[in-house]
Amino acid sequence: MTRLCALLTATLSVAVALVPPGSFTPAAQPAKEPTGEYVNKGNRPDSARATLKSHGLPNLEGKWHYAGPFDNTDKAGFDSAYPPEKKVELTATYAGKGDRKVTWKEYDTFALGKVADLQKLFPDVRTNAVVYLYHKFESPKAYKMPISFGSDDTISVFVNGKRLLHEAHVRPAAPDQEMVTADVKAGTNELLVKVCQEAGDWAVYVNPELPDSVPE
């Protein structure tokens, strides 16, 4: 055993001596994923969100909440500033349509870039109702974020307490029916969407779009 160890040591010493200095090349490291690039997901809505994420910017993904139904009899809900328009408190309880108790609930099936069926939230409410959708998000910097909306029927949009959209439509919802530019601030931001229904379908579409220039 001693002779075998000595022989292996001698052989290794000769092999090392035969390697010219500086000729050793370490194994190539895996390339890092590029950041800040356009990310093609095969369609515009998904690509926009993926690209915003690659730049470290908010893309409206994450938790969404909803509160409703509130009353829209005689279309009164469109201009009625129900409590969520004044201040969003996710632990609050409100008086809703027909004196039912309304609380904030997580909208865990909400999907950006697709028309969302709001009727599924309230299967027993078919007419004259209002719902609020809420999303809170963080941004590392201030910039202007375009956001695309669609609605059935009316739609109002608030960003950080400022109303940016207030349109009294009666229509089926589709992507890109409305576009707003939100002044996103560095830190915490709040997006509130209000959709009023008269009768029939009740739906909404939301998706961020790419800004004209990405902030450095």
Side-chain angles (χ1 to χ4, degrees):
M1 180 66 71
T2 302
R3 289 182 179 181
L4 178 60
C5 291
L7 179 60
L8 289 174
T9 302
T11 302
L12 181 60
S13 298
V14 171
V16 171
L18 292 176
V19 178
S23 65
F24 176 73
T25 302
Q29 297 298 313
K32 293 183 179 180
E33 290 293 324
T35 58
E37 302 293 337
Y38 177 77
V39 182
N40 188 349
K41 290 292 187 178
N43 61 74
R44 199 189 82 229
D46 291 346
S47 297
R49 296 197 312 277
T51 300
L52 288 169
K53 184 177 181 179
S54 81
H55 285 271
L57 297 174
N59 63 0
L60 305 185
E61 292 178 349
K63 285 187 179 182
W64 282 74
H65 292 81
Y66 70 92
F70 295 91
D71 191 35
N72 190 39
T73 301
D74 297 326
K75 304 180 182 180
F78 179 63
D79 285 321
S80 295
Y82 290 112
E85 292 184 38
K86 301 169 185 176
K87 185 178 181 181
V88 173
E89 294 184 27
L90 295 180
T91 58
T93 299
Y94 313 113
K97 181 179 174 68
D99 293 325
R100 71 167 65 192
K101 183 175 72 173
V102 169
T103 60
W104 287 100
K105 298 178 181 178
E106 186 174 345
Y107 195 169
D108 54 7
T109 60
F110 182 69
L112 293 162
K114 297 179 181 179
V115 175
D117 184 0
L118 299 173
Q119 190 68 69
K120 291 182 178 179
L121 300 177
F122 314 105
D124 60 332
V125 178
R126 309 297 303 183
T127 60
N128 302 320
V130 178
V131 66
Y132 289 91
L133 308 183
Y134 173 74
H135 177 63
K136 185 163 125 176
F137 62 94
E138 301 292 324
S139 179
K141 59 191 69 177
Y143 79 105
K144 294 185 179 296
M145 174 197 280
I147 310 175
S148 171
F149 293 94
S151 66
D152 182 345
D153 290 302
T154 79
I155 186 166
S156 303
V157 175
F158 307 79
V159 175
N160 296 329
K162 180 180 179 181
R163 192 171 72 186
L164 303 181
L165 183 66
H166 193 54
E167 296 290 335
H169 298 292
V170 178
R171 63 186 180 188
D176 310 327
Q177 290 173 319
E178 314 284 350
M179 187 76 69
V180 304
T181 300
D183 286 320
V184 173
K185 62 185 179 180
T188 302
N189 294 264
E190 296 180 293
L191 170 61
L192 182 70
V193 183
K194 175 184 181 181
V195 183
C196 299
Q197 177 216 36
E198 290 187 37
D201 293 336
W202 191 8
V204 69
Y205 173 91
V206 183
N207 202 73
E209 297 293 329
L210 296 177
D212 292 334
S213 61
V214 177
E216 297 298 332

